[in-house]
């Protein structure tokens, strides 16, 4: 799968994808991440990408022109398996279902918003989707683009080790968070690992894990339990 990123900070992406699972996926030729500087598609001496909002208001907006030219250069033709996504604070919330949908594409082009926003004609007439990664304010779309690429890339065939790849995972198996997990030592600073996990009774372990997952979900993500309505707890 090819990920394209259009940004005014291409250097930002040197870091995030040069480690671990994503780096190995690149080296194995499973994914390609092509980062391009939006200023390539400016024509003036100052390589202007931003301008003041019509009607007044604080700050600057990314101009439509360079963004349209960037997308039209990267995708000479639009196809069903090539998607254009605008990362913006106003977007629809990105989630695991959307990550899975994107993982079925051949190419994904991510436009990173900046400043106070982006000329609305990009969302209306260029991007297929306008996506936010959550209800908090960032300074731009670059971190969000890195989040989307990471979440999508790990779902691609061969990217994770075969331990995980076979699992048809959702965000949380059966709508619950993962159960608490422990590794050695069995006692750390006086805090003991639950005895049942040390005893090798796999039936008892399964029951403990299910109950612990329910309790943790109720405490940290009660919203997930409400979405499970009708399902036995
Ligand atoms: C609160 C919205 N706007 C009020 C004037 C300002 C604004 C805030 C943040 C405009 C742009 C931005 C920059 N953020 C992003 O481009 C962004 C973002 C985010 O802020 N939160 C979650 N996901 C994303 S994806 C892109």
């Amino acid at each position: 799968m090819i990920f394209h990123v259009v940004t005014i900070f291409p250097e930002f992406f040197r870091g995030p994808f040069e480690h671990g699972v994503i780096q190995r996926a690149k080296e194995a030729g499973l994914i390609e991440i092509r980062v391009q500087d939006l200023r390539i598609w400016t024509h003036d001496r100052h390589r202007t990408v931003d301008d003041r909002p019509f009607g007044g208001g604080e700050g600057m907006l990314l101009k439509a022109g360079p963004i349209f030219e960037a997308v039209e250069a990267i995708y000479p033709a639009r196809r069903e398996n090539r998607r254009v996504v605008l990362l913006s604070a106003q977007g629809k919330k990105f989630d695991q279902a959307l990550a899975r949908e994107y993982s079925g594409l051949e190419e994904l082009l991510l436009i990173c918003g900046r400043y106070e926003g982006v000329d609305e004609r990009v969302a209306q007439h260029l991007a297929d989707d306008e996506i936010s990664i959550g209800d908090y304010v960032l300074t731009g779309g670059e971190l969000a683009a890195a989040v989307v690429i990471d979440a999508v890339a790990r779902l691609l065939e061969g990217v994770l080790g075969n331990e995980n790849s076979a699992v048809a995972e959702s965000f949380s198996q059966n709508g619950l968070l993962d159960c608490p997990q422990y590794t050695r030592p069995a006692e750390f600073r006086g805090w003991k690992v639950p005895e049942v996990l040390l005893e090798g009774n796999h039936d008892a372990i399964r029951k403990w894990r299910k109950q612990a997952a329910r309790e943790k979900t109720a405490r940290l993500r009660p919203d997930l339990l409400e979405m499970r309505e009708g399902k036995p707890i």
Side-chain angles (χ1 to χ4, degrees):
M1 179 168 179
I2 303 176
F3 297 92
H4 305 272
V5 181
V6 174
T7 172
I8 62 168
F9 293 125
E11 333 75 59
F12 176 93
F13 293 91
R14 301 302 163 225
F17 305 123
E18 285 171 11
H19 310 276
V21 169
I22 301 299
Q23 183 176 39
R24 262 186 287 117
K26 286 198 301 182
E27 287 166 358
L30 298 169
I31 61 168
E32 226 180 284
I33 302 172
R34 299 186 191 164
V35 180
Q36 312 233 53
D37 190 335
L38 180 61
R39 292 185 199 278
I40 291 169
W41 293 282
T42 58
H43 304 287
D44 64 313
R45 220 160 47 82
H46 297 105
R47 309 179 84 197
T48 309
V49 292
D50 61 326
D51 207 339
R52 292 150 57 203
F54 278 119
E58 290 297 297
M60 302 289 270
L61 303 176
L62 284 180
K63 293 162 65 65
I67 298 176
F68 271 75
E69 288 196 34
V71 172
E72 288 159 359
I74 293 167
Y75 287 163
R78 301 288 284 267
R79 295 202 215 112
E80 192 56 50
N81 50 18
R82 288 179 168 168
R83 203 75 66 90
V84 177
V85 172
L86 172 64
L87 281 321
S88 104
Q90 279 71 47
K92 166 176 114 170
K93 195 96 64 72
F94 181 67
D95 63 10
Q96 191 65 17
L98 199 50
R100 188 159 287 286
E101 183 185 327
Y102 289 166
S103 73
L105 298 170
E106 271 170 30
E107 300 185 48
L108 184 64
L109 192 164
L110 301 165
I111 302 163
C112 302
R114 266 281 150 184
Y115 306 116
E116 297 308 304
V118 180
D119 186 302
E120 187 65 17
R121 287 166 288 195
V122 172
Q124 281 185 313
H125 304 296
L126 185 66
D128 299 302
D129 302 326
E130 182 174 6
I131 297 300
S132 151
I133 60 164
D135 293 338
Y136 34 79
V137 182
L138 303 172
T139 59
E142 282 76 9
L143 276 168
V147 166
V148 169
I149 291 171
D150 191 85
V152 173
R154 66 178 288 285
L155 294 174
L156 299 172
E157 187 81 34
V159 169
L160 294 181
N162 37 8
E163 326 106 65
N164 294 321
S165 57
V167 183
E169 59 164 40
S170 59
F171 156 65
S172 49
Q173 255 108 27
N174 60 49
L176 297 175
L177 298 178
D178 285 351
C179 67
Q181 300 188 88
Y182 303 86
T183 185
R184 291 187 296 178
E187 181 174 341
F188 173 70
R189 297 188 179 180
W191 297 300
K192 292 186 171 125
V193 171
E195 200 65 39
V196 62
L197 298 178
L198 309 176
E199 288 167 345
N201 179 342
H202 293 286
D203 214 46
I205 289 172
R206 207 173 315 111
K207 278 184 193 146
W208 180 88
R209 284 182 168 159
K210 192 167 254 179
Q211 186 53 29
R214 286 176 191 133
E215 284 170 14
K216 186 157 183 164
T217 306
R219 188 157 44 83
L220 299 181
R221 294 295 305 274
D223 57 307
L224 292 180
L225 292 178
E226 279 151 35
M227 287 177 8
R228 274 167 50 98
E229 228 178 349
K231 293 192 184 178
I233 292 207

